[in-house]
Amino acid sequence: MRIATTIFLTDETITPVRLARELEQRGFAGLYLPEHTHIPVSRDTPYPAGGDLPPEYGRTLDPFVALGQAAAVTERLALGTGITLIAQHDPIVLAKQIATLDHLSGGRYTLGLGFGWNVEEAADHGVTWSTRRELGRDRMALMRALWTEEPIEHEGEFGSVQASHAYPKPVQKPRGPVTGPRTLIGGAAGPRLFAHIAEYADGWLPIGGRGLTESVPVLRAAWEAAGRDPEQLQVVPYAVLPSAGKLAHYAELGVQEVVLQLPPAGEAEVLRTLDDYAQYL
């Protein structure tokens, strides 16, 4: 099982360069970074985990800039977003950012995408909350049009692009309905989410990894009903606080990668946590 990590990197934490070097030297498989462009102070949307919203949510570094730094100082470390808030991006610009990072890192990028939880943040990006999932689906289709080898156009409900020359291309070749980098969708289990995963992703990025015993068979059924190869489905529990029993349970479910949560802290505390997590490598 590959052991990757995630962290809220901020202007107050360990730097991307220092962390990436330590992860690669210690044998961790990857680094995934979350995204929040801003957190409106109105705070009308409650924090999903309950209580006050931790301050790091309003201080996160841009994940693509931070991962670019990480890519430049490593050779093997996988790099991912967990998650890219796809509805909040211009898809033409995002397609270029993703393809550039994947190209410069030698195909090490994983697009972990999701649809968000903060209504006010999304609203400032012009996102209508009730249609954000369909908007994200349409933006993925537009980006796939730009990532194809032969120029094709996309005319969608929410946006369009002419048949265009757009390089670089993501390194990974098309597989089934998926074009672009390895793509995982985050979110709570449910038929709508599982339909999206089966349609245009490589798998699921379940936050916290709870309830997988019940959810994974349902996802597998939706995946196979869509004509996807059952051997290709990837389930990657995300932001996990590990224990030996928990990781053994994931392995029984066929999980091949787990993303462990690091504290949003300075260098000393993060390195101590990596020392503790080394037992799982």
Side-chain angles (χ1 to χ4, degrees), residues 70-175:
V73 297
T74 56
E75 296 179 351
R76 302 175 304 280
L77 189 72
L79 309 163
T81 43
I83 57 174
T84 294
L85 295 166
I86 189 168
Q88 298 181 184
H89 286 268
D90 178 311
I92 299 174
V93 176
L94 182 60
K96 176 68 76 172
Q97 289 176 296
I98 288 171
T100 299
L101 178 57
D102 197 49
H103 168 72
L104 293 177
S105 67
R108 289 186 277 153
Y109 175 67
T110 291
L111 170 59
L113 67 92
F115 308 105
W117 60 269
N118 191 307
V119 178
E120 300 84 66
E121 178 184 358
D124 283 344
H125 288 277
V127 176
T128 300
W129 192 249
S130 62
T131 60
R132 73 193 188 283
R133 292 176 183 270
E134 291 307 313
L135 173 60
R137 175 177 176 269
D138 190 63
R139 289 189 167 167
M140 278 300 302
L142 189 154
M143 291 196 297
R144 288 198 303 273
L146 291 170
W147 290 334
T148 58
E149 288 298 330
E150 297 298 326
I152 62 172
E153 67 178 357
H154 170 76
E155 185 68 42
E157 180 182 356
F158 298 94
S160 62
V161 67
Q162 302 172 52
S164 302
H165 298 294
Y167 289 84
K169 303 296 184 185
V171 173
Q172 191 166 349
K173 298 305 180 184
R175 57 254 173 235

Side-chain angles (χ1 to χ4, degrees), residues 145 173 199 239 252 269:
K173 298 305 180 184
E199 180 185 353
E252 291 173 356
E269 184 176 347

Side-chain angles (χ1 to χ4, degrees), residues 26-52:
R26 292 164 182 257
F28 286 89
L31 172 63
Y32 291 74
L33 298 181
E35 175 183 49
H36 283 285
T37 54
H38 65 301
I39 300 293
V41 298
S42 62
R43 296 296 304 112
D44 295 330
T45 306
Y47 177 41
D52 294 333

Side-chain angles (χ1 to χ4, degrees), residues 1 208-210 212 237 240 245-255 258:
M1 182 181 291
R210 298 181 186 87
L212 295 186
V240 170
K246 189 181 293 185
L247 297 186
H249 174 59
Y250 294 155
E252 291 173 356
L253 294 172
V255 168
V258 176

Side-chain angles (χ1 to χ4, degrees), residues 172-194:
Q172 191 166 349
K173 298 305 180 184
R175 57 254 173 235
V178 185
T179 298
R182 180 185 187 223
T183 301
L184 304 172
I185 303 181
R192 196 173 181 186
L193 180 78
F194 289 170

Side-chain angles (χ1 to χ4, degrees), residues 2-60:
R2 300 187 303 277
I3 304 296
T5 61
T6 184
I7 182 174
F8 278 87
L9 284 180
T10 77
D11 56 325
E12 299 178 327
T13 66
I14 189 172
T15 67
V17 166
R18 184 78 171 102
L19 176 57
R21 284 175 168 155
E22 287 288 337
L23 289 171
E24 184 159 275
Q25 290 171 4
R26 292 164 182 257
F28 286 89
L31 172 63
Y32 291 74
L33 298 181
E35 175 183 49
H36 283 285
T37 54
H38 65 301
I39 300 293
V41 298
S42 62
R43 296 296 304 112
D44 295 330
T45 306
Y47 177 41
D52 294 333
L53 184 69
E56 60 266 21
Y57 278 74
R59 307 189 76 105
T60 54

Side-chain angles (χ1 to χ4, degrees), residues 63-75:
F64 291 99
V65 175
L67 290 171
Q69 282 201 329
V73 297
T74 56
E75 296 179 351

